[in-house]
Amino acid sequence: TQETGTWMQYVSKAPATRMDVVRLQEDLDRRLLDRQAREAGICPVREDLYGQSFDELIRQITLDGPERGLLLLRARDEIRMTIDAF
C-alpha cells in the first residue's frame, strides 16, 4: 500500500510463452544499457541482472516441469557457491 510503503507482487502460475522469453531478453538488454553494465570483465551490475534473469527463467521452467526447475536451482546454487569461493 502507499500508506505503509509495503508492496506485494503476485507471481503468475501460467506457463511462459515464447513471447514471455523474448520480452525477458529485451528487458535484460534494456536494463544492461540503462545501468551501464560493462560488456567484458567483472561487472557486478551485469552479474546482478543476469542473476535476476536466470531466476526468472528458473521460475518459468519450474512451472512447466518442477523436476527440471529444482535441478536448475541446484545447479545455480552450486555455481554461486563455487564463484563465492574464489
Side-chain angles (χ1 to χ4, degrees):
T1 64
Q2 283 189 302
E3 298 83 36
T4 63
T6 304
W7 295 93
M8 183 178 294
Q9 182 176 3
Y10 295 95
V11 177
S12 171
K13 293 182 183 177
T17 64
R18 179 179 290 258
M19 284 307 300
D20 291 331
V21 176
V22 169
R23 274 192 292 268
L24 181 63
Q25 181 177 350
E26 290 170 349
D27 185 48
L28 173 62
D29 291 339
R30 180 185 50 77
R31 289 170 41 197
L32 286 166
L33 287 173
D34 290 348
R35 293 189 51 194
Q36 299 175 348
R38 286 185 234 138
E39 291 184 21
I42 296 172
C43 178
V45 171
R46 192 175 75 225
E47 180 182 352
D48 177 51
L49 293 174
Y50 271 96
Q52 290 177 32
S53 296
F54 192 56
D55 289 344
E56 174 59 17
L57 281 173
I58 291 172
R59 184 195 71 79
Q60 292 174 3
I61 291 167
T62 302
L63 289 173
D64 190 42
E67 297 83 9
R68 284 183 284 153
L70 289 174
L71 184 57
L72 278 172
L73 278 173
R74 258 180 79 186
R76 181 204 63 194
D77 292 344
E78 185 63 31
I79 290 167
R80 285 183 180 169
M81 285 192 305
T82 301
I83 290 170
D84 290 343
F86 286 100

